[in-house]
Amino acid sequence: MTDGTDRTLARATIGGIEMAYEDHGTGLPCLLVHGFPFDHRQWRAQLEGLADAARWIVPDLRGHGSSAAPPPPYRMSDFAEDLRGLLDRLGIDRVVLGGLSMGGYIALAFAERYPERLRGLVLMATRAEDDPDTARQQRMETAARARTGGAALIGAEMLDRILGGRDVDPQLVEAIRTMILGTSVEGLVGSLEGMAMRADATPWLASIECPTLVVVGTEDQLTPPSCARHLAASIPDAELLEVPEAGHVVALERPEIVNPAIERLLARCR
Ligand code: MLT
């Protein structure tokens, strides 16, 4: 099958779950992890703009896009195990691992378990901290509504939260809406419950040894620049990039700024 941009999606069964993913290009292996509730197309602007810069492995997480959707919850460690299984299947030992938002929580969960498998880290529009009680409660309420109404019910409010009432290119809004509406009920519920369960990564950030790029849009209301500054200040070899006129989906919104920064990180990791 294709991903709508004429690229073929490969498939592999990892730990009993069928995962869809892109795998193309040559050289330094880079694994990019999308946010909630998106799919691999969230990285479209990097796959297009940086096609020749690396080997790109870009999966749909369980419950999202074209991957299978096992029963909830999906802990960040479950996602991290799926990624490790995919890398094992592909025979890849060490990668540059990038994640946006929930993808960043998952990248951190992977980094905590498998630091020896990292050559570099990209943490985009994300945070180290766990949810405060009120946010955790809200996630569980949203999960309950998603169970009955699916993405169609919560899609509009998600879009509002993600775009933060900003004036964004209509094509971009449509691309985001399409990804949200393509997310299964299990994917919505599983990820919301899993994010609510995640632990604070702050205590071990100082042990991250690989070169790290931290990226945030200056207008991101879900994971504001203060979260990125905390990450960059806590990780020893981290560079912070604050991207003007960008919100939460910074990778899609401002690739002309984000892509050169990724290229610089790749050069540091080679
Ligand atoms: C995401 O974009 O992955 C989520 O909005 C992250 C979150 O809700 O914490």
Side-chain angles (χ1 to χ4, degrees):
M1 71 174 296
T2 70
D3 67 355
T5 55
D6 287 337
R7 283 203 194 87
T8 303
L9 280 178
R11 290 183 174 274
T13 301
I14 308 294
I17 298 163
E18 193 185 51
M19 286 184 78
Y21 62 98
E22 277 199 28
D23 178 6
H24 59 86
T26 54
L28 185 63
C30 297
L31 172 58
L32 298 179
V33 189
H34 63 77
F36 168 83
F38 306 141
D39 61 45
H40 74 282
R41 291 172 294 181
Q42 179 236 281
W43 297 108
R44 189 187 60 206
Q46 284 64 51
L47 293 173
E48 287 169 5
L50 296 173
D52 297 330
R55 175 178 175 185
W56 299 103
I57 299 120
V58 191
D60 286 344
L61 293 168
R62 56 165 74 193
H64 298 73
S66 299
S67 287
Y74 303 165
R75 292 176 188 79
M76 301 304 105
S77 55
D78 296 327
F79 287 124
E81 287 304 323
D82 294 344
L83 299 180
R84 185 197 51 78
L86 180 60
L87 290 177
D88 288 351
R89 176 64 56 86
L90 297 175
I92 296 171
D93 183 23
R94 296 174 68 222
V95 282
V96 176
L97 176 62
L100 183 140
S101 200
M102 182 177 80
Y105 308 155
I106 296 166
L108 285 170
F110 186 100
E112 185 178 16
R113 281 163 186 74
Y114 303 111
E116 72 286 357
R117 299 198 66 167
L118 291 181
R119 288 170 81 147
L121 201 52
V122 182
L123 299 171
M124 217 177 272
T126 194
R127 55 161 56 89
E129 300 89 338
D130 56 350
D131 284 349
D133 286 345
T134 46
R136 194 170 290 134
Q137 184 61 34
Q138 275 167 12
R139 281 204 206 273
M140 299 314 274
E141 285 165 15
T142 308
R145 274 183 293 125
R147 262 184 215 285
T148 52
L153 181 74
I154 65 166
E157 71 185 51
M158 294 260 2
L159 205 58
D160 259 7
R161 288 184 66 222
I162 289 164
L163 298 177
R166 296 161 54 251
D167 193 13
V168 177
D169 173 5
Q171 282 189 342
L172 189 63
V173 177
E174 225 18 70
I176 295 172
R177 192 196 314 277
T178 303
M179 289 190 285
I180 295 175
L181 292 179
T183 307
S184 64
V185 170
E186 290 86 352
L188 295 167
V189 172
S191 303
L192 286 162
E193 291 180 351
M195 285 192 282
M197 289 172 185
R198 77 187 193 283
D200 184 6
T202 303
W204 60 269
L205 289 178
S207 69
I208 295 178
E209 289 180 352
C210 60
T212 300
L213 170 67
V214 181
V215 180
V216 67
T218 55
E219 295 168 22
D220 187 338
Q221 296 181 21
L222 273 178
T223 47
S226 56
C227 299
R229 290 179 199 137
H230 169 64
L231 280 165
S234 310
I235 298 173
D237 188 8
E239 175 196 330
L240 173 64
L241 176 70
E242 299 196 24
V243 183
E245 291 169 43
H248 192 58
V249 199
V250 57
L252 264 179
E253 290 181 54
R254 301 301 302 273
E256 74 281 12
I257 297 179
V258 170
N259 286 2
I262 294 177
E263 273 192 300
R264 284 197 300 279
L265 178 82
L266 297 183
R268 288 169 65 206
C269 297
R270 280 196 181 95

